[in-house]
Amino acid sequence: MQLKKERGLTVNNLGEIYLAYMTADRNGIRHQLLSDWLHEHKDECYSAITCLTNWRPKLKPNHLTGALRRTYLVFAEEWEGLVDNVDEMIDMLVSESPDIVTNSFTIPEMIQSVEDLARFDSKVDLTNVFTRMDKAGATVYWRYALGEMCIGKTKILKAVARDTIYTTERLKEALLIERLHVVVEKALNGILDEEFILKAGVPFKAP
């Protein structure tokens, strides 16, 4: 008998931890929540951290206004009159998603969806995007798409340091030669290199 394959992390899962992190009333609680979550999903560090820490816009204004025109016949001038800044834009886009969605985007599906919206010949109907994530998930989706970082690198490192043998400073040193998701995954598994020095054959990764 063939077992059903697990779907892996979804955009709604990212939305849940982001909402929990942002609404916790103390830094210690925030770091513990994120630490527990990262340990639980340490095999999917690349996907999770890529989405939560992205700061480069994946969509240009014309990509979004083009999608709004296709879907709702809302033109750029009308849209610009509705929102004054990117935070208002995200809030308005998030409001179009339902409170509960059972078949949300997986992380690869989410990334592909944003790439499809960014195509010059895109024919994406936004209703098919809005209905694949709940409001919490939509917050992560649109922040990722518009280059508004959800959780900063230092905050993630502080969470990782909370329940591993590594200090935040040691983890920052590791970032000099390895990417964040690699550092996090190794730290969670307790297998970071003992010394973080530049070695022959190891490429330097600029901050």
Side-chain angles (χ1 to χ4, degrees):
M1 182 177 68
Q2 186 175 8
L3 296 176
K4 184 178 179 181
K5 185 179 180 181
E6 294 293 332
R7 295 184 73 228
L9 278 175
T10 69
V11 66
N12 285 1
N13 297 143
L14 294 183
E16 289 170 6
I17 185 57
Y18 174 66
L19 184 62
Y21 183 89
M22 295 302 294
T23 56
D25 59 3
R26 295 198 308 275
N27 282 336
I29 295 175
R30 291 190 187 100
H31 296 153
Q32 190 63 60
L33 283 169
L34 187 55
S35 174
D36 292 344
W37 190 87
L38 287 169
H39 273 91
E40 182 180 352
H41 300 287
K42 61 185 177 182
D43 293 335
E44 297 182 84
C45 278
Y46 175 77
S47 296
I49 289 175
T50 295
C51 295
L52 292 173
T53 63
N54 177 59
W55 55 271
R56 292 186 175 94
K58 304 295 183 180
L59 297 181
K60 295 179 180 178
N62 61 296
H63 297 144
L64 191 53
T65 54
L68 288 165
R69 185 174 63 251
R70 284 193 305 274
T71 307
Y72 299 116
L73 296 180
V74 173
F75 290 89
E77 296 79 6
E78 297 175 80
W79 174 248
E80 290 167 0
L82 293 172
V83 295
D84 293 325
N85 54 59
V86 69
D87 288 329
E88 289 186 6
M89 183 184 302
I90 290 171
D91 288 344
M92 185 164 289
L93 292 166
V94 168
S95 71
E96 296 298 317
S97 286
D99 292 323
I100 299 174
V101 170
T102 57
N103 184 34
S104 61
F105 284 129
T106 62
I107 304 307
E109 288 172 343
M110 165 191 158
I111 293 171
Q112 184 61 56
S113 170
V114 174
E115 290 177 357
D116 290 344
L117 276 171
R119 290 174 58 90
F120 76 94
D121 59 348
S122 176
K123 294 180 174 58
V124 173
D125 185 323
L126 279 178
T127 56
N128 295 329
V129 175
F130 294 140
T131 56
R132 288 294 305 279
M133 51 198 173
D134 60 23
K135 283 183 169 59
T139 303
V140 172
Y141 180 100
W142 292 113
R143 291 186 74 86
Y144 168 80
L146 297 171
E148 294 293 310
M149 187 181 293
C150 291
I151 302 176
K153 291 182 179 180
T154 299
K155 293 176 180 177
I156 287 177
L157 294 182
K158 286 181 178 179
V160 172
R162 191 172 183 88
D163 286 321
T164 65
I165 61 175
Y166 308 105
T167 64
T168 303
E169 290 70 27
R170 181 112 180 258
L171 296 172
K172 286 180 178 178
E173 290 176 357
L175 285 180
L176 293 173
I177 57 173
E178 294 186 296
R179 297 190 179 278
L180 179 61
H181 69 89
V182 176
V183 172
V184 171
E185 186 172 357
K186 284 186 174 182
L188 293 175
N189 286 291
I191 56 172
L192 275 177
D193 294 335
E194 290 188 8
E195 295 182 359
F196 295 106
I197 57 176
L198 297 181
K199 304 174 184 177
V202 178
F204 172 73
K205 187 189 77 63

